[in-house]
Each structure stands twice: as C-alpha cells, then as structure tokens.
Amino acid sequence: MRLLLIEDHQRFAKHVKDGLEKVGFTVDVVETASGGEDAISTVQYDTIILDLGLPDSDGLSLLRSWRDKGDETPVLILTARDGIDDRVLGLNSGGDDYLLKPFAMEELIARIRALLRRPGGVLGLVITAGNVSFDTTAREVQVDERTIAIPRRELGVLEQLMRRNGRVVPKDVLEDKIYGFGKEISSNSVEVHVSRLRKRLAGAGANISVHTLRGVGYLLSEESPAAFSSGV
Ligand code: CA
C-alpha cells in the first residue's frame, strides 16, 4: 500500500513516515502543496494524508482541486485546528476523515486501515451496521434478515451513512449524493428524508440510529436512540 504524506514539518513527517513504514506501508513525503500536486499526477496513491497548513497553499484548496478533477483517492486530513467549522470545511471539501494533532500513531494507522477497507463505490458489496445490511448491488436493505422497503432518496441517505458508519456525514455531502447537480432542493429536504428514515428503521426494529449534529451533519451509530441521548 502506497501512501502520500503532505506535511511541511520535517521532524513530524519523519516520525509519521517511520511509524507507518513499521507496519508495512510505503510512504512518500512531500513538504509543499505543489510537491503534492506533482506526486499525485505521477503516482496512484492508496491514501493521501494531508496537513492543512502548508507553506505555499492551503491544504483545503489542494483537496478541492483534486476532487474537482474527479480524483477520489481517500484523503485523511491532519489538522491542529479544532474548530468545528474547519472539520466541516475539510469534510465538505472532499476529505474522507480527519485527525487532530497531536494523535497517537495507533490511531492514525487504524484510520488509514479503515479508509483502505472502505467500500468506496465498490459493487457487489453488502455493508452492515448493527442488525441492518445494505446490499449495494440489489439496493436492498434487510433488518434481521427481513427485507424492508425504503424509497430511493431515503435509501441514498442510508447508504451514505452506512458507508461512513460512525463518522459525521455533512448535510451538503448528503445533498450532493442524493440529488444530481443543478437540482433545486428545498432547504429542509434532507431533514425530511432523515426523519422518515429514522421512523422506518425504528419501525423495522433496527438497532442503529441516525443522529443529528446541528449545523454539521448526521452520524450513524449502532446504538438505540435512547442509549445515545442519555450518553451524550
Ligand atoms: Ca503544517
């Protein structure tokens, strides 16, 4: 597995590279956004680890330009910024996950492995969460092995949430995934689909639930709604 690390802090970059190579990854390091641009134009990386604060450009602009070109290489954002806005911005710009500095090497390795295992667009795959399974080819959902009927857009919402199980899915990303570009959509349309989906899942006895993070997005978790609200 070949990874690209775009990080201008040399000692930190070396530490990360060594840690990742110890567990078998191959890691290229570049220190600038332009170096990153060159690297990804010549190599197909399995995952890119991107620092947001780079000397020649903002990591987010770099990320946006890749996504605009249709490059879907998984990107894990490293950031010292911990404002919720930066995290949302990172995810909205096409980041797949983010990690706040400082972090434990084990955490970084676990996140990268999760990205590599992720079913990004792979067909013939059944995603499961709790007692719910989603057959991405047949577009069929089962709860405890009983098939339940879910309308198309709610199905789209559920798919995105299940593909990013346990991670926040920004509302904008959901909108982009369930509606084509240029579609007029009302501002509460996603909320309406989420709310119907919640009722449908609860009615079918699913032990997963969809949480709203106000102003941020949605999160799937394998807990009953009651357990979540008392725990947070
Ligand atoms: Ca930096």
Side-chain angles (χ1 to χ4, degrees), residues 171-191:
K171 189 179 162 199
D172 296 3
V173 169
L174 272 186
E175 281 174 354
D176 286 351
K177 296 282 185 188
I178 65 173
Y179 298 100
F181 288 117
K183 281 255 167 41
E184 281 288 312
I185 49 173
S186 70
S187 61
N188 68 347
S189 162
V190 167
E191 276 98 330

Side-chain angles (χ1 to χ4, degrees), residues 6-9 12 31 51-55 78 101:
I6 308 180
E7 165 64 65
D8 60 315
H9 190 301
F12 177 71
E31 294 169 18
D51 176 36
L52 286 190
L54 295 168
L78 293 183
K101 296 177 183 175

Side-chain angles (χ1 to χ4, degrees), residues 190-200:
V190 167
E191 276 98 330
V192 171
H193 290 308
V194 167
S195 138
R196 286 183 189 149
L197 177 63
R198 263 190 201 119
K199 286 190 192 122
R200 215 177 293 277

